């Protein structure tokens, strides 16, 4: 296997008399002389004990390393960070969540570039480290395979993390006792793995598989399973074949592959965060993708999966009937996927799906194409005098398709949550949470605490929420996020006043403040930019560099 083609990068690090010091250092970490002749594969592990999503990934990294070594490569495991959205949700710590995507991408790019790895296997198990891994792979453009850490098992009584957030709202509403909340708290998270519904982690894992950057079925395996161990070993072996055949992310992460990813996300009822992350991943891959592409593709793709948060089932139940591969086969046969896209198997999407068996007849998790939950996308891109450069709503149809109400304005998530829990927010309100965007947060926090409280209080159909922040994949209800331009840069969301009438119209894809343009212009003329919340450190750097959420909130768009 050893030749200049398979050792394009590592040969610069370890070959020749001048590189004796490099070899001396590597002897100390376990290299022998034969290893210097092998392709080197970096195994990027997102292991930490910060969160159950990633607590098992050190073992998976060892399985991937074994897969590399068994077929003639030399594996090198290294770590990057992760943070937990579920733990930091509703606190100032959540400001670091989206920022961590960039830190993760930068760190994987940094280690791989510095060490001269010929290929990469990256293992991610939480919301931001997955797109972070893919952004790094796209930038590096070296043969790479992504492995999903896997989903968590259901909690007692079919519960998950969103059950806990909604139970908090239930306590405030008087429908859940504190003793009942404690039971949910103690049993909803039974062990390792990512949050169990079609939230951001499972959404992004599915999107990455549809993109062609992970092995078939990688997105639909439980974290603690023999299937997941085998997935890691297969990924390790696969990256050696990609190196041998010089198949790089740029050969896989094409425009058509991103269209496949969007299609699968829509069919599954995936998270609004997919919009943000796919835009960012496409930017890293030098692929033209914009907000309106989600509308164009979504017009022809139905919502088929009855999965939480708006549906009934968890990812473990989808896994039991075959995962997402049969769904992809349905979409391919209907002409909704591009079958000629290359994947990390070295085969096309159509070739990978050729022998996939259909779902069992007696199942109601995935609907037939002629009996969809919604005939077009639940991810609705809205424009209007509040969102002149766009916003993202998650409308399954269960909430209704239009909502007009009176604005109740808050300058932070904490203030909004307090008002929801103490009954200040009432039926007919549109909660407006601003100064939570990428610049204004800084960091664009997710709003699962307020949306969970709204649902828990039984106001899901009676109260809407708009924000220049974003939502957890676990959020549902009449919610609109990613409102751009954000308040901190003078977007019209900054001049909404409590009592103003607002209309969200998912049918006409509009988001409007029901006052005259003259009044809007008058208010904007009096707007003054707020002082930055952070002046030092990572959040301040992020606020200086980050672009609009409608462009993926990336930090290298110069």
């Amino acid at each position: 296997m050893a030749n200049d083609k398979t050792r394009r990068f590592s040969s610069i690090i370890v070959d020749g008399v001048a590189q004796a010091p490099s070899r001396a250092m590597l002897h100390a970490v376990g290299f022998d002389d034969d290893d210097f002749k092998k392709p080197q594969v970096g195994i990027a592990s997102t292991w930490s004990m910060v969160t159950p999503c990633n607590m098992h990934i050190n073992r998976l990294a060892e399985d991937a390393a074994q897969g590399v070594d068994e077929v003639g490569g030399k594996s090198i495991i290294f770590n990057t960070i992760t943070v937990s959205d579920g733990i930091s949700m509703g606190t100032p710590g959540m400001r670091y969540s989206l920022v961590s995507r960039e830190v993760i991408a930068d760190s994987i790019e940094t280690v791989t570039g510095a060490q001269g790895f010929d290929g990469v296997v990256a293992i991610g198990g939480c919301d931001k480290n997955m797109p972070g891994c893919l952004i790094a792979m796209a930038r590096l453009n070296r043969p790479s395979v992504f492995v999903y850490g896997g989903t968590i098992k259901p909690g007692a009584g079919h519960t998950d993390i969103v059950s806990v957030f909604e139970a908090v709202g239930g306590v405030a509403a008087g429908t859940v006792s504190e003793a009942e909340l404690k039971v949910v708290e103690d049993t909803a998270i039974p062990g390792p793995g990512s949050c169990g519904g079609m939230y951001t982690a499972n959404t992004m894992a599915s999107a990455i598989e549809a993109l062609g950057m992970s092995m078939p079925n990688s997105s639909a395996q439980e974290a603690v399973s023999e299937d997941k161990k085998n997935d890691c070993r297969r990924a390790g072996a696969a990256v050696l074949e990609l190196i041998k055949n010089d198949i790089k992310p740029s050969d896989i992460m094409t425009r058509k592959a991103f269209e496949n990813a969007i299609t699968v996300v829509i069919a599954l009822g995936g998270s609004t965060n997919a919009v943000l992350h796919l835009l960012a991943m496409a930017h890293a891959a030098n692929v033209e993708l914009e907000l309106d592409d989600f509308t164009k593709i979504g017009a022809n793709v139905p919502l088929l999966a009855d999965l939480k948060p708006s549906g009934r089932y968890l990812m473990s139940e989808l896994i039991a009937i075959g995962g997402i591969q049969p769904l992809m086969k349905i979409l391919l046969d209907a002409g909704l996927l591009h079958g000629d896209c290359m994947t990390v198997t070295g085969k096309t999407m159509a070739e990978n799906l050729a022998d996939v068996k259909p779902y069992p007849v007696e199942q109601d998790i995935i609907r037939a194409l002629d009996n969809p939950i919604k005939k077009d996308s639940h991810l609705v891109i809205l424009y209007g005098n509040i969102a002149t450069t766009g916003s993202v709503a998650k409308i399954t149809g269960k909430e209704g398709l239009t909502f007009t109400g009176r604005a109740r304005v808050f300058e932070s998530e904490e203030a909004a949550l307090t008002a929801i829990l103490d009954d200040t927010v009432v039926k007919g309100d549109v909660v407006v949470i601003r100064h939570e965007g990428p610049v204004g947060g800084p960091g664009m926090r997710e709003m699962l605490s307020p949306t969970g409280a709204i649902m828990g209080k039984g106001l899901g159909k009676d109260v809407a929420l708009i924000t220049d922040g974003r939502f957890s994949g676990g959020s549902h209800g009449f919610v609109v996020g990613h409102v751009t331009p954000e308040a901190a840069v003078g977007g019209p969301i900054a001049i909404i006043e409590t009592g103003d009438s607002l209309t969200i119209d998912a049918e006409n894809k509009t988001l409007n403040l029901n006052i005259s343009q003259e009044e809007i212009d008058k208010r904007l003329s009096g707007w003054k930019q707020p002082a930055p919340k952070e002046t030092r450190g990572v959040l301040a750097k992020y606020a200086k560099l980050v672009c609009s959420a409608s462009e993926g909130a990336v930090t290298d768009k110069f």
Side-chain angles (χ1 to χ4, degrees), residues 3-12 118 141 246 248:
N3 56 53
D4 289 341
K5 186 175 180 181
T6 60
R7 298 176 56 245
R8 207 171 83 191
F9 300 100
S10 62
S11 62
I12 299 170
D118 301 296
N141 202 31
D246 196 29
K248 302 179 293 296

Side-chain angles (χ1 to χ4, degrees), residues 380-393 403-404 430-432 464-468 478-485 492-493 496 501-514 520:
V380 184
I381 309 303
L382 307 176
Y383 290 91
N385 60 18
I386 300 172
T388 56
T389 55
S391 61
V392 183
F403 192 103
T404 296
V430 179
V431 175
V432 178
L465 188 153
I466 72 169
T467 180
D468 54 7
F478 222 114
V479 297
V480 183
H482 308 203
V483 173
T484 61
I493 191 174
I496 300 172
S501 174
L502 298 170
T503 296
I504 305 164
D505 187 339
E507 289 185 301
N508 293 304
K509 299 180 176 56
T510 56
L511 174 62
N512 283 308
L513 175 59
N514 298 318
I520 290 173

Side-chain angles (χ1 to χ4, degrees), residues 9 36 41 59 61 63 68 102 104 171 180 184 206 229 263 284 299 343 376 387 397 425 443 451 464 469 472 476 523:
F9 300 100
F36 296 124
V41 176
R59 296 189 295 273
D63 290 326
V68 169
E102 309 309 304
I104 291 160
V171 170
E180 289 170 326
V184 177
S206 301
K229 293 179 181 179
T263 296
T343 74
D376 54 8
V425 171
T451 61
S472 161
H476 58 124
R523 293 185 190 180

Side-chain angles (χ1 to χ4, degrees), residues 207-231:
I208 292 166
E209 182 175 332
L211 192 65
M213 285 298 295
S214 59
M215 300 298 286
N217 277 326
S218 184
S219 70
Q221 295 161 340
E222 289 188 335
V224 181
S225 66
E226 196 62 34
D227 285 342
K228 184 48 65 184
K229 293 179 181 179
N230 290 335
D231 182 38

Side-chain angles (χ1 to χ4, degrees), residues 263 265-269 294-304 369 372-380 395-397 401 506-509:
T263 296
V265 165
I266 291 169
L268 287 169
F294 289 82
T295 300
K296 294 170 187 172
I297 295 167
N300 299 310
V301 180
L303 169 57
L304 300 177
L369 281 169
I373 294 169
K374 189 171 184 283
K375 65 180 178 60
D376 54 8
S377 180
H378 66 296
L379 297 175
V380 184
I395 307 293
T396 64
L401 295 173
E507 289 185 301
N508 293 304
K509 299 180 176 56

Side-chain angles (χ1 to χ4, degrees), residues 155-174:
H158 204 250
T159 54
D160 61 6
I161 186 61
V162 176
S163 307
V164 188
F165 280 97
E166 294 186 359
V168 171
V171 170

